[in-house]
Amino acid sequence: MSESKEKESITGKVADHYNLKKSLGREARHSSRIIYLRSFNNWIKSCLINDFIGRLKTSNGNSNTELSVHDLGCGRGGDTLKWAKNRVNRVLFSDLADQSLAECQERAHRKFAHTSFVHLDATRDCIVAKMRELELDAEPCDLVSSQFVIHYSFESFAQANTFMRNVARTLKEGGYFIGTTTNAYEIVKRLRQSDTNAFGNDIYRVEFDAAQDKEHFALFGARFEFTLDDVVGCPEYLLNFEALVRLAERHGLHLIYRKTFDEMFAEYSESDENRKLLKIMQALMPYYPSGYS
């Protein structure tokens, strides 16, 4: 298989994974072994989004100012309610998986004054060109949010560069780009502690190719297979954060905030409002597997 076809098959595999994954009902979600992990991740995202929406409103000097958001890699629209609660006026939703995007469109129906939906591979396609082709409003947004997505772009330099170009071209001057991603340093640390080229437990597993040198990783294309219970099961890539910062600067973006989830929890949990949300979302509940005593 040629290099280009190999890359196409990986992109297709990721899209197929999220298209074929069925939405869980309320009962199924609450019986999931990773329900509290998902709740904690969702709490982190909520705090992050509330924080930077608040910063935008403060900088504009008007808490009722109309704001616009690009939800880059929106999936099924899991953050739609967060945008609605923050009274965002206009939302651009974009994603690689067309069926997920269609479900997102149903979730977002009538929640915002203006919405646009763009199906594209943000690591390969130019979103502004796509929007013009679809005759959509291509005006930049106040905030670009990409949650648990950007590491997929680190398959190659060209893809990561295209992704960051799409971020920059849909972001207003003075706006914010926020996101969450896997911690490559933690992954590498755990891999080096393993006797094999894999680590995990009965809920998650990270597995690199047997030929992967544990001491040296490619800047781009450091691929591993990640499985997480019944939620994730597809190839992902290590994200070199220093490389990400350089790419961002290449497109006029500058780093203002970088923290691990541990650090974010310590910071955000100081707020009474966030602690209340933590309790409501049951984001710190322990999970006890069957047979545990």
Side-chain angles (χ1 to χ4, degrees):
M1 181 181 288
S2 70
E3 181 184 8
S4 61
K5 288 190 176 297
E6 169 66 12
K7 289 184 177 180
E8 288 174 3
S9 68
I10 291 171
T11 300
K13 187 174 182 180
V14 173
D16 289 345
H17 165 74
Y18 286 104
N19 273 331
L20 295 173
K21 188 175 70 172
K22 295 181 179 179
S23 294
L24 297 176
R26 182 180 178 85
E27 184 176 340
R29 282 198 303 272
H30 282 272
S31 63
S32 169
R33 298 192 298 172
I34 61 169
I35 176 64
Y36 301 123
L37 171 63
R38 296 176 74 172
S39 294
F40 180 76
N41 288 347
N42 204 27
W43 178 82
I44 289 285
K45 289 196 300 177
S46 295
C47 292
L48 184 64
I49 286 169
N50 294 342
D51 180 0
F52 281 87
I53 289 287
R55 295 188 193 200
L56 284 165
K57 290 181 177 180
T58 299
S59 66
N60 288 333
N62 181 3
S63 61
N64 294 318
T65 188
E66 293 185 349
L67 295 177
S68 54
V69 169
H70 176 194
D71 194 338
L72 176 51
C74 61
R76 289 182 159 85
D79 292 333
T80 299
L81 189 58
K82 299 179 183 66
W83 308 131
K85 284 184 175 180
N86 277 287
R87 289 180 285 183
V88 170
N89 180 259
R90 176 171 64 92
V91 185
L92 162 61
F93 295 96
S94 65
D95 200 82
L96 169 68
D98 57 344
Q99 292 176 39
S100 295
L101 190 64
E103 187 170 324
C104 173
Q105 189 164 359
E106 291 180 10
R107 284 191 179 188
H109 184 56
R110 294 183 179 177
K111 284 187 172 65
F112 310 98
H114 305 283
T115 54
S116 300
F117 300 87
V118 180
H119 172 227
L120 85 163
D121 181 350
T123 76
R124 299 178 187 278
D125 306 321
C126 173
I127 189 167
V128 172
K130 281 271 186 180
M131 294 180 74
R132 287 172 178 164
E133 184 180 309
L134 295 169
E135 299 184 347
L136 298 174
D137 178 9
E139 181 182 350
C141 299
D142 297 288
L143 182 78
V144 176
S145 172
S146 183
Q147 307 297 331
F148 296 105
V149 169
I150 194 170
H151 50 279
Y152 291 113
S153 75
F154 266 63
E155 181 179 349
S156 68
F157 167 80
Q159 288 171 268
N161 188 55
T162 297
F163 188 96
M164 292 309 301
R165 183 188 299 123
N166 282 324
V167 169
R169 288 187 177 179
T170 55
L171 184 64
K172 289 181 181 178
E173 185 175 348
Y176 293 110
F177 168 50
I178 61 173
T180 49
T181 188
T182 52
N183 186 333
Y185 304 101
E186 184 67 26
I187 292 173
V188 169
K189 183 182 80 172
R190 296 192 185 198
L191 179 65
R192 288 172 176 168
Q193 293 170 344
S194 171
D195 293 331
T196 67
N197 269 30
F199 62 89
N201 53 34
D202 64 336
I203 292 179
Y204 85 97
R205 181 176 176 82
V206 171
E207 184 173 2
F208 286 80
D209 187 86
Q212 174 64 55
D213 181 351
K214 292 185 182 183
E215 298 304 317
H216 301 93
F217 295 85
L219 202 57
F220 299 94
R223 175 181 172 178
F224 60 91
E225 297 290 328
F226 178 52
T227 55
L228 176 63
D229 202 38
D230 58 350
V231 177
V232 178
C234 59
E236 300 195 0
Y237 298 89
L238 292 179
L239 183 147
N240 184 295
F241 203 87
E242 284 69 27
L244 176 64
V245 171
R246 292 289 186 90
L247 282 170
E249 290 174 345
R250 182 186 179 106
H251 296 287
L253 306 176
H254 303 283
L255 180 67
I256 60 169
Y257 186 107
R258 172 191 179 183
K259 293 184 186 294
T260 65
F261 278 20
D262 285 346
E263 292 168 332
M264 292 174 75
F265 172 75
E267 176 183 331
Y268 286 133
S269 61
E270 291 181 357
S271 158
D272 290 340
E273 184 177 347
N274 288 337
R275 284 199 300 272
K276 182 180 178 181
L277 185 61
L278 195 68
K279 186 175 182 179
I280 292 172
M281 297 176 72
Q282 296 184 306
L284 283 184
M285 294 289 289
Y287 170 79
Y288 298 106
S290 58
Y292 180 88
S293 61

